[in-house]
């Protein structure tokens, strides 16, 4: 259903105004038929196999939740897609119209000496917004930085505040394939809801690495599950549907219905 709405979502972005939605993720240019193809991609570190012979063809407008235990290779694969790392073997083929925006969970691109306003806006009075512009301070305020908070030094912020600065800084650049690595870490509930709404109105493709099953249930059209022992599954559906499918798979294999999907780490709101 989301794929059939792709053209409509792109058209909606053309007419967005600053008062129509709390947060808008600029979509970048229109995606072509080819978005992303992985062909027999493998990666290991010593004797640890992260994934082997993994293939994937990403459809337009797919919102993919990436799940699995810590150290399974989720971030490694995202870095490969963003051309920040290389596979041991296989091919990662990015479509000619794709613009990748990678929001790293480590937040290493922030300058602690700049103010919140300077870090997000680069000191510009106006920023691109849809086909028009938005006043920079109004854009920054959408991430819950109002008044004097915009003049705080980034180095003095809490982890959750730095997360919001990183999201604001990176998402304003736009792109039609966005990778969010643990975007909800330390975010308060209102900010998570605003982010959910923005993702739902975003017409491009997105990978979201997260342990928050409720967040993934609300936004995802697909699940990319790192199941261990080098096995990765690409599932059409949200987290709950994947967990049920995995439980049925285990039962059919005589392993019982206990799902490994929920054992990687406690999933929280």
């Amino acid at each position: 259903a989301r794929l059939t709405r792709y053209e409509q979502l792109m058209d909606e972005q053309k007419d967005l105004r600053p008062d129509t939605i709390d947060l808008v993720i600029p979509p970048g240019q229109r995606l072509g038929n080819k978005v992303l193809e992985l062909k027999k991609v493998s990666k290991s570190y010593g004797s640890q196999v992260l994934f082997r012979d993994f293939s994937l063809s990403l459809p337009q407008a797919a919102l993919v939740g990436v799940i699995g235990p810590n150290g399974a290779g989720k971030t490694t694969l995202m870095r490969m897609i963003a051309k920040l790392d290389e596979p041991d073997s296989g091919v990662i083929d990015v479509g000619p119209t794709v613009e990748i925006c990678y929001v790293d969970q480590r937040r290493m691109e922030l300058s602690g000496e700049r103010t919140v306003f300077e870090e997000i806006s680069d000191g510009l009075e106006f920023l691109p917004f849809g086909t028009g512009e938005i006043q920079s301070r109004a854009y920054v305020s959408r991430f819950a930085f109002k008044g004097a908070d915009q003049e705080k030094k980034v180095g003095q912020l809490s982890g959750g505040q730095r997360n919001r600065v990183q999201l604001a800084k990176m998402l304003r650049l736009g792109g039609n394939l966005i990778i969010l690595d643990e975007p909800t870490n330390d975010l308060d509930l209102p900010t998570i809801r605003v982010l959910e709404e923005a993702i739902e109105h975003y017409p491009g493709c997105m990978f979201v690495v997260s342990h928050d099953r409720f967040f993934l249930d609300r936004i995802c059209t697909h699940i990319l599950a790192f199941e261990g022992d080098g096995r990765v599954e690409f599932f059409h559906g949200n987290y709950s549907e994947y967990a049920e499918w995995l439980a049925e798979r285990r039962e059919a294999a005589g392993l019982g219905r206990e799902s490994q999907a929920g054992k990687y780490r406690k999933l929280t709101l």
Side-chain angles (χ1 to χ4, degrees):
R2 180 176 167 81
L3 183 56
T4 61
R5 287 195 61 222
Y6 173 67
E7 296 294 335
Q8 178 186 351
L9 287 166
M10 286 298 300
D11 290 338
E12 287 175 357
Q13 289 283 341
K14 297 176 184 178
D15 301 320
L16 285 171
R17 303 186 309 276
D19 58 349
T20 59
I21 187 172
D22 286 336
L23 170 62
V24 172
I25 303 172
Q29 67 173 314
R30 189 178 298 269
L31 282 167
N33 292 330
K34 180 179 179 180
V35 180
L36 173 71
E37 292 184 1
L38 279 64
K39 304 173 184 176
K40 295 186 176 298
V41 173
S42 299
K43 185 69 174 181
S44 300
Y45 287 106
S47 60
Q48 181 185 8
V49 178
L50 298 182
F51 38 87
R52 64 169 69 88
D53 294 333
F54 175 59
S55 298
L56 164 71
S57 181
L58 187 68
Q60 288 179 331
L63 301 177
V64 183
V66 185
I67 64 172
N70 292 330
K74 303 186 299 296
T75 295
T76 298
L77 183 59
M78 295 303 102
R79 287 178 56 83
M80 289 180 185
I81 292 171
K83 303 299 184 182
L84 300 175
D85 204 346
E86 294 291 333
D88 294 337
S89 61
V91 176
I92 298 177
D93 192 7
V94 178
T97 62
V98 172
E99 302 167 343
I100 297 176
C101 173
Y102 179 44
V103 183
D104 190 342
Q105 65 172 318
R106 294 174 296 176
R107 323 297 178 211
M108 294 183 67
E109 296 183 11
L110 302 181
S111 171
E113 298 302 314
R114 302 179 81 184
T115 67
V116 169
F117 176 76
E118 291 169 340
E119 188 68 12
I120 294 175
S121 71
D122 288 326
L124 300 174
E125 185 178 355
F126 291 92
L127 296 172
F129 190 94
T131 56
E133 292 182 326
I134 184 174
Q135 190 177 48
S136 297
R137 292 198 179 276
Y139 176 79
V140 175
S141 71
R142 292 171 183 268
F143 291 82
F145 293 109
K146 302 182 185 296
D149 288 341
Q150 296 190 8
E151 302 307 316
K152 288 182 178 179
K153 297 288 187 180
V154 172
Q156 299 173 341
L157 301 178
S158 67
Q161 290 172 323
R162 288 175 63 88
N163 196 328
R164 279 189 272 130
V165 171
Q166 179 80 357
L167 284 171
K169 180 180 178 181
M170 294 299 294
L171 294 180
R172 78 176 179 85
L173 300 177
N176 50 27
L177 174 54
I178 293 179
I179 301 171
L180 301 179
D181 199 344
E182 300 287 3
T184 63
N185 277 2
D186 302 315
L187 289 183
D188 56 27
L189 195 57
T191 306
I192 292 175
R193 292 294 180 265
V194 168
L195 180 59
E196 286 175 3
E197 183 180 2
I199 291 173
E200 289 173 0
H201 284 80
Y202 174 70
C205 287
M206 189 176 293
F207 286 99
V208 182
V209 181
S210 180
H211 291 92
D212 187 337
R213 62 171 293 177
F214 302 101
F215 180 70
L216 296 180
D217 266 345
R218 285 188 286 264
I219 67 168
C220 288
T221 61
H222 300 73
I223 292 293
L224 184 63
F226 288 70
E227 297 184 342
D229 298 323
R231 181 183 178 91
V232 184
E233 289 284 350
F234 187 57
F235 178 81
H236 293 248
N238 63 20
Y239 177 89
S240 292
E241 292 165 335
Y242 164 75
E244 178 62 23
W245 174 74
L246 178 59
E248 291 173 355
R249 245 175 59 203
R250 288 177 53 81
E251 187 175 39
L255 300 175
R257 288 186 59 86
E258 183 181 9
S259 168
Q260 294 294 319
K263 295 177 65 176
Y264 298 148
R265 174 176 144 188
K266 185 177 181 180
L267 299 168
T268 58
L269 282 169

